[in-house]
């Protein structure tokens, strides 16, 4: 197998050998010069050798503007490393004697011009060393001064000015209609301030965008930059904080000085919670550098000085940790919550990200939006991208529903563990566990619709149910929460009823059910303890949420809270048991279908409930075939070890 060698790696590998070769050549040259034997002759000695017919080779070079000759050569009895040198006066008599001897004795005679007669050589020899020396000194001092200048720039602002390349506009921001209107007002003010000043209106000095990660806060700020025809500075909150105290405050001052020179302008601070956390908290005192930076930011936004024409937009997904002084009117006057998109917003977001995607016929973004509640804009973009990658991996020309289903599973639970081998007993346990969830979802009116059930392991789960609310609600009723807990307990209940045994597969279900039950008792007032709130969702943000959680009730009330939680869980478990026992046939039907097909879609489940059997298999659609049918096809095609493969592995082999 041929491997491409990186050019940089090749150069690094050859460099030591090049240096070694240079050193060896230098050593060879030094030894050659040192071993050279040179005889210096006087004028009379040279004439004697010339007349005695002992010269083999002679070389003449004029020196001193043509007044003398420097000669060198070799004699007949010399070895290879021997030569002679002599200095002769420049005269016609000497030259005639040398030329005559050369003709008579037939030795090699060469004459070179005087190198000092060339102006270029004179410049190279006399001027070039001085230029190199002065240039090297200048470069050295300039580098030192540049280092000193960079040390003086340490407290300068790291805010960057947005350019016009790859601009994002409001057309690229989908699903945030109200949020766009809030920030559009800022752009209108910067373009036409007189319209607002006419009625005495003061534009907000700061706008705080807050909401879960991936909902489009930074994208919205980029769109403001694209729509505004004013300078737009952007910086991250972490760019202010440094090791040395006072540097962050200096950078804040410098940032506002730059903004004042270019007012009116916008400043965007991303992840402002890195510098705007509450002051005076934490073990062992506060963080001096961060607190000084925050103090300077508070002063610049609304202090003794005026920052007319400077509007700050900040983004964070942790508004609970921000200092109260930062959120008061006069600083961040307007706080815009960017929530997860609803079904209409998800459809608009999918339209933006599907512009460059080739979707198969029959796939509508409206239906896809209904199947993805709780997805953020970033999740939806990742969903379509994963689907496109799967289509390319499967050598398809368009993105089909199977790729979208697989991409949804990958985003929610991670990639399928195709190599994970189940024992037949484990497969049966998981199938009945997931079928239990499905039965509860089908039989409870307020429960979510079952969109998909699978026993293919993903992440830490051996299988999972995809359940989507029948309609999106702003708030949940007590009945909704109780039925949600009942649905979570359906898997464990199915294990108990079918096998008379329990497994560890329901630990995540218990975690979710316990959290809902505790919130019902301590936060929502949905218990016999009455409409009282004993706990809050947010605790200490520095010492840990449980370590420093305030407790506003006695130990007796704490015991009653535990009793109420246990009562809610036990009642829901009894309800789940009644439903499972009453629908044993449906439980078995779904479980056996899962063992045969491994994955059931909403359409297949609805057909199974209505007709008591699976729909007719489509021979052309491999994914709709049962694992038994797939193994028969694999046997016909000569696939090795087909009997030990699961459905995903068989589909992969048959696609090839």
């Amino acid at each position: 197998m041929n491997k491409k060698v990186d050019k940089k790696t090749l150069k690094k590998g050859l460099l030591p050998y090049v240096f070694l070769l240079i050193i060896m050549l230098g050593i060879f040259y030094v030894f050659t010069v040192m071993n050279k034997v040179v005889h210096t002759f006087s004028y009379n000695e040279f004439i004697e050798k010339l007349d005695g017919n002992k010269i083999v080779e002679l070389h003449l070079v004029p020196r001193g503007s043509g007044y003398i000759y420097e000669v060198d050569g070799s004699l007949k009895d010399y070895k290879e490393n021997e030569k002679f040198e002599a200095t002769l006066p420049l005269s016609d008599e000497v030259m005639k004697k040398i030329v005559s001897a050369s003709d008579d004795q037939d030795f090699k005679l060469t004459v070179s011009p005087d190198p000092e007669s060339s102006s270029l050589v004179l410049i190279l020899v006399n001027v070039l060393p001085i230029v190199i020396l002065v240039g090297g000194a200048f470069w050295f001092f300039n580098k030192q001064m540049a280092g000193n200048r960079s040390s003086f720039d340490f407290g300068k602002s790291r805010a960057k000015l947005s350019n016009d390349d790859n601009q994002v506009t409001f057309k690229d921001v989908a699903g945030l209609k109200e949020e766009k209107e809030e920030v559009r007002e800022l752009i209108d003010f910067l373009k036409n301030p007189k319209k607002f000043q006419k009625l005495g209106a003061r534009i907000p000095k700061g706008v705080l965008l807050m909401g879960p990660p991936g909902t489009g806060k930074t994208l919205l700020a980029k769109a403001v930059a694209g729509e505004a025809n004013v300078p737009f500075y952007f910086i991250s909150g972490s760019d202010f904080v440094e090791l040395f105290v006072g540097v962050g405050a200096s950078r804040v001052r410098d940032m506002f000085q730059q903004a004042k020179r270019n007012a009116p302008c916008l400043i965007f601070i991303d992840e402002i919670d890195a510098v705007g956390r509450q002051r005076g908290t934490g073990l062992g005192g506060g963080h001096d550098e961060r607190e000084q930076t925050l103090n300077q930011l508070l002063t610049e936004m609304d202090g003794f000085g005026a920052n007319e024409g400077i509007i700050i937009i900040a983004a964070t997904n942790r508004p609970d940790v921000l200092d109260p002084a930062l959120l008061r009117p006069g600083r961040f006057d307007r706080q815009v919550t960017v929530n997860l998109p609803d079904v209409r917003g998800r459809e608009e977001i999918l339209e933006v990200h599907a512009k460059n995607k080739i979707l198969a016929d029959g796939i509508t973004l409206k239906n896809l939006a209904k199947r993805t509640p709780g997805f953020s804009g970033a999740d939806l973009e990742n969903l379509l991208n994963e689907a496109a990658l799967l289509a390319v991996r499967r050598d398809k020309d368009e993105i089909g529903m199977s790729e979208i289903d697989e991409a949804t599973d990958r985003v929610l639970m991670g990639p399928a563990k195709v190599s994970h081998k189940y024992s037949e007993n484990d497969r049966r346990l998981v199938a009945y566990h997931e079928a239990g969830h499905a039965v509860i979802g089908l039989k409870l009116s307020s429960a979510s619709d079952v969109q998909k059930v699978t026993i293919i392991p993903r992440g830490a789960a051996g299988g999972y149910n995809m359940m989507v609310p029948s309609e999106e609600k702003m708030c949940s009723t007590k009945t909704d929460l109780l039925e949600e807990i009942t649905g979570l307990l359906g898997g464990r209940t199915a294990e108990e009823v079918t096998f008379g045994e329990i497994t560890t597969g329901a630990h995540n279900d218990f975690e979710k059910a316990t959290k809902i039950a505790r919130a019902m008792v301590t936060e929502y007032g949905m218990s016999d303890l009455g409409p009282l709130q004993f706990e809050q969702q947010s605790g200490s943000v520095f010492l840990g949420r449980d370590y420093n959680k305030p407790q506003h009730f006695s130990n007796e009330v704490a015991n009653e809270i535990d009793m109420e939680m246990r009562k809610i869980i036990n009642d829901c478990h009894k309800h789940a048991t009644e439903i499972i026992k009453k629908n044993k046939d449906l439980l078995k039907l779904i479980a056996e279908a899962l063992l045969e097909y491994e994955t059931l879609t909403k359409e297949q489940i609805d057909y199974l409930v209505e007709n008591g059997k699976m729909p007719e298999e489509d021979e052309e659609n491999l994914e709709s075939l049962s694992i038994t049918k797939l193994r028969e096809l694999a046997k016909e095609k000569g696939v090795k070890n087909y009997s030990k493969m699961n459905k995903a592995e068989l589909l992969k082999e048959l696609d090839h």
Side-chain angles (χ1 to χ4, degrees):
M1 185 177 180
N2 295 327
K3 293 184 179 180
K4 293 184 178 179
V5 181
D6 189 8
K7 290 183 178 180
K8 291 185 178 180
T9 306
L10 184 61
K11 288 180 180 179
K12 287 183 179 180
L14 291 176
L15 214 55
Y17 297 101
V18 173
F19 280 119
L20 183 61
L21 181 61
I22 293 172
I23 292 171
M24 291 177 65
L25 290 175
I27 294 172
F28 176 76
Y29 175 77
V30 169
F31 274 101
T32 304
V33 173
M34 290 178 65
N35 291 333
K36 200 79 172 177
V37 179
V38 180
H39 303 279
T40 304
F41 293 162
S42 64
Y43 174 75
N44 293 331
E45 288 175 333
F46 172 74
I47 296 299
E48 181 183 346
K49 301 294 183 183
L50 186 64
D51 293 340
N53 193 17
K54 294 181 178 181
I55 296 178
V56 177
E57 183 181 357
L58 190 63
H59 180 221
L60 287 80
V61 180
R63 295 289 188 183
S65 301
Y67 291 108
I68 59 173
Y69 276 114
E70 287 185 355
V71 299
D72 62 80
S74 59
L75 303 181
K76 291 181 178 180
D77 56 348
Y78 278 5
K79 298 177 181 179
E80 290 185 1
N81 62 336
E82 285 187 282
K83 74 172 186 175
F84 69 85
E85 291 180 349
T87 302
L88 308 178
L90 180 60
S91 64
D92 294 339
E93 181 182 352
V94 173
M95 286 303 300
K96 287 179 181 179
K97 196 173 185 65
I98 293 174
V99 173
S100 176
S102 174
D103 293 338
D104 295 341
Q105 301 172 17
D106 195 22
F107 60 81
K108 185 179 180 182
L109 176 63
T110 56
V111 180
S112 300
D114 185 2
E116 295 182 0
S117 62
S118 173
S119 58
L120 180 61
V121 174
L122 282 173
I123 292 173
L124 291 175
V125 173
N126 297 317
V127 179
L128 188 60
I130 299 174
V131 172
I132 293 174
L133 185 63
V134 173
F138 179 78
W139 175 82
F140 177 77
F141 285 114
N142 189 49
K143 191 171 182 181
Q144 291 294 321
M145 291 300 295
N148 291 334
R149 282 196 299 269
S150 64
S151 64
F152 286 117
D153 291 342
F154 193 63
K156 297 294 184 182
S157 171
R158 297 291 190 269
K160 298 177 182 177
L161 187 63
S162 176
N163 53 30
D164 296 333
D165 299 335
N166 301 321
Q167 275 194 348
V168 177
T169 63
F170 282 147
K171 294 180 181 179
D172 302 311
V173 182
L176 300 176
K177 185 177 180 180
E178 291 79 10
E179 291 82 353
K180 284 190 288 187
E181 290 300 323
E182 290 292 326
V183 294
R184 194 190 298 274
E185 194 176 71
L186 306 179
I187 300 172
D188 292 341
F189 173 79
L190 293 170
K191 290 181 177 179
N192 188 14
K194 292 183 180 179
K195 181 174 68 174
F196 295 85
Q197 295 170 355
K198 183 179 179 181
L199 295 177
R202 178 183 62 81
I203 201 69
K205 293 186 178 180
V207 176
L208 180 66
L209 305 176
M210 51 190 185
T215 50
K217 300 183 293 297
T218 304
L219 183 66
L220 187 60
K222 289 180 181 179
V224 173
E227 295 285 343
N229 293 322
V230 296
F232 186 92
Y233 293 93
F234 59 94
I235 190 172
S236 172
S238 59
D239 288 334
F240 291 112
V241 182
E242 285 287 351
L243 175 65
F244 305 105
V245 177
V247 173
S250 174
R251 290 178 179 175
V252 171
R253 286 192 295 270
D254 186 67
M255 180 180 69
F256 276 89
Q257 287 175 3
Q258 292 181 31
K260 288 175 184 177
R261 288 195 293 267
N262 294 280
C265 69
L266 290 166
I267 298 176
F268 174 60
I269 305 176
D270 199 9
E271 304 296 344
I272 194 174
D273 52 275
V275 69
R277 289 188 172 225
Q278 298 174 16
R279 293 168 291 177
T281 52
L283 290 170
H287 190 296
D288 289 338
E289 162 62 3
R290 190 176 63 233
E291 290 191 5
Q292 285 196 20
T293 306
L294 175 58
N295 291 338
Q296 188 64 45
L297 181 62
L298 295 174
T299 304
E300 293 290 347
M301 288 188 70
D302 188 26
F304 284 104
N307 287 321
E308 295 296 336
I310 301 175
I311 298 175
I312 299 178
I313 303 175
T316 180
N317 53 16
R318 296 290 307 279
D320 55 318
V321 306
L322 295 180
D323 194 272
L326 201 61
L327 305 177
R328 74 160 174 81
R331 287 179 179 140
F332 283 105
D333 305 80
R334 185 169 297 173
Q335 298 168 21
V336 180
T337 301
V338 185
N339 284 320
L340 293 171
D342 58 7
V343 62
R344 186 179 300 174
R346 291 195 298 273
E347 185 179 354
E348 294 175 2
I349 294 171
L350 287 169
E351 287 176 357
V352 172
H353 295 301
K355 286 180 180 178
N356 60 342
K357 307 287 192 304
I358 303 175
L359 300 178
D361 295 336
I363 296 179
T364 60
L365 298 179
K366 185 175 183 179
N367 291 335
L368 185 56
K370 291 179 180 178
R371 295 175 51 147
T372 51
F375 276 50
S376 66
D379 291 332
L380 294 171
E381 190 275 335
N382 189 34
L383 170 65
L384 290 180
N385 184 62
E386 286 287 346
L389 291 174
L390 286 168
V392 173
R393 196 180 304 167
R394 296 173 179 177
D395 296 326
K396 292 187 176 181
D397 297 328
E398 57 187 10
I399 302 171
M401 200 64 217
S402 61
E403 284 77 33
I404 291 179
D405 279 339
E406 175 65 19
T408 305
D409 295 341
R410 291 172 73 92
V411 172
L412 288 174
M413 304 292 294
K417 294 185 176 180
V418 179
S419 61
H420 189 78
K421 301 300 179 185
Y422 269 142
S423 67
E424 195 59 35
N425 185 49
D426 286 342
R427 289 183 77 248
R428 194 167 186 80
L429 281 169
V430 174
Y432 274 88
H433 180 100
E434 300 303 333
H437 288 302
V439 169
I440 299 294
L442 290 168
K443 294 302 177 180
L444 291 181
S445 58
S446 298
S448 302
D449 293 336
V450 180
Q451 291 289 330
K452 184 178 183 180
V453 187
T454 180
I455 59 172
I456 297 175
R458 290 179 182 271
Y464 80 99
N465 269 268
M466 181 188 290
M467 304 184 76
V468 178
S470 54
E471 59 179 1
E472 295 186 33
K473 302 176 181 178
M474 290 295 294
C475 57
S476 299
T477 64
K478 182 178 180 180
T479 302
D480 294 336
L481 296 176
L482 290 174
E483 292 194 354
E484 186 175 353
I485 295 174
T486 305
L488 289 169
L489 299 176
R492 165 59 68 86
T493 305
E495 294 174 6
E496 294 173 340
V497 172
T498 306
F499 304 104
E501 186 61 88
I502 57 177
T503 68
T504 59
H507 71 281
N508 187 248
D509 299 331
F510 296 156
E511 180 184 352
K512 295 177 181 178
T514 305
K515 186 179 293 185
I516 296 171
R518 187 167 191 88
M520 289 176 66
V521 177
T522 62
E523 297 178 32
Y524 307 146
M526 295 180 177
S527 70
D528 293 340
L529 293 180
L532 296 173
Q533 187 178 60
F534 299 102
E535 293 177 354
Q536 296 179 351
Q537 290 184 352
S538 61
S540 174
V541 297
F542 297 102
L543 300 180
R545 302 219 176 243
D546 295 326
Y547 180 77
N548 197 37
K549 181 182 289 186
Q551 182 172 321
H552 304 297
F553 47 84
S554 64
N555 293 333
E556 289 78 8
V557 174
N559 183 53
E560 291 182 21
I561 290 173
D562 295 338
M563 298 272 298
E564 288 294 325
M565 288 174 56
R566 190 177 294 111
K567 179 183 176 183
I568 291 173
I569 297 293
N570 289 337
D571 289 345
C572 291
H573 184 238
K574 289 178 182 178
H575 191 196
T577 304
E578 292 173 1
I579 296 173
I580 294 295
K581 287 182 177 179
K582 189 176 180 180
N583 297 276
K584 271 189 175 183
D585 293 338
L586 179 60
L587 176 71
K588 183 178 180 181
L589 186 65
I590 295 175
E592 294 299 326
L594 278 172
L595 290 170
E596 184 71 13
Y597 290 84
E598 290 193 334
T599 300
L600 300 177
T601 63
K602 175 177 172 54
E603 293 77 15
Q604 290 173 324
I605 294 172
D606 292 342
Y607 189 93
L608 189 65
V609 173
E610 185 176 348
N611 300 282
K613 63 178 183 177
M614 290 291 290
E616 295 295 329
E617 295 179 346
D618 184 3
E619 296 290 340
E620 296 181 359
N621 185 9
L622 293 177
E623 294 182 4
S624 68
L625 299 181
S626 67
I627 194 168
T628 304
K629 188 66 176 177
L630 288 173
R631 284 172 177 166
E632 290 176 2
L633 291 175
K635 183 180 179 181
E636 293 175 5
K637 291 190 175 185
V639 177
K640 296 180 179 179
N641 299 323
Y642 65 89
S643 60
K644 298 181 180 179
M645 294 182 182
N646 58 27
K647 189 172 183 178
E649 291 174 314
L650 289 168
L651 287 172
K652 186 176 180 181
E653 289 293 331
L654 292 172
D655 280 340
H656 291 318

